[in-house]
């Protein structure tokens, strides 16, 4: 992953305001950690096919040029995490 940035400041009411607890961004994917699975599920409903969720973690591909094969690789890594 290239261009890793901690954007957690954007999670709160003064930022993106989507209620995440942590946010890391790269050129290929944005990694959102939500306080609970319900919040993560709600955000997945908004992003649909441009995201992947496991537990309270959501990978978002909105605004990226990440291809299907690369998305699948990232999704598989998240799915295998404990």
């Amino acid at each position: 992953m290239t261009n890793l940035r901690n954007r957690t400041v954007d999670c709160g009411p003064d930022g993106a305001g989507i209620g995440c607890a942590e946010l890391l961004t790269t050129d290929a994917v944005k990694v959102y950690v939500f306080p609970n699975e319900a919040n993560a599920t709600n955000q997945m409903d908004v992003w649909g096919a441009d995201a992947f969720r496991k537990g309270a973690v959501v990978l978002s591909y909105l605004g990226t040029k990440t291809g299907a094969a690369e998305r699948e690789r990232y999704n598989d890594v998240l799915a295998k995490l404990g």
Side-chain angles (χ1 to χ4, degrees):
M1 291 186 198
T2 59
N3 208 8
L4 177 64
R5 299 167 306 277
N6 183 335
R7 298 301 309 160
T8 301
V9 68
D10 293 335
C11 288
D14 296 325
I18 61 171
C20 54
E22 294 179 56
L23 170 59
L24 298 175
T25 66
T26 71
D27 293 338
V29 64
K30 295 175 188 87
V31 181
Y32 291 84
V33 179
F34 288 90
N36 55 55
E37 287 188 41
N39 289 28
T41 300
N42 290 340
Q43 195 59 47
M44 272 294 299
D45 290 344
V46 173
W47 290 333
D50 283 321
F52 177 82
R53 180 186 73 82
K54 180 180 180 202
V57 178
V58 177
L59 303 180
S60 171
Y61 302 102
L62 289 170
T64 72
K65 296 179 181 176
T66 307
E70 194 173 6
R71 287 180 182 204
E72 187 173 331
R73 263 193 356 205
Y74 292 135
N75 295 350
D76 286 347
V77 168
L78 177 59
K80 291 176 185 174
L81 292 177

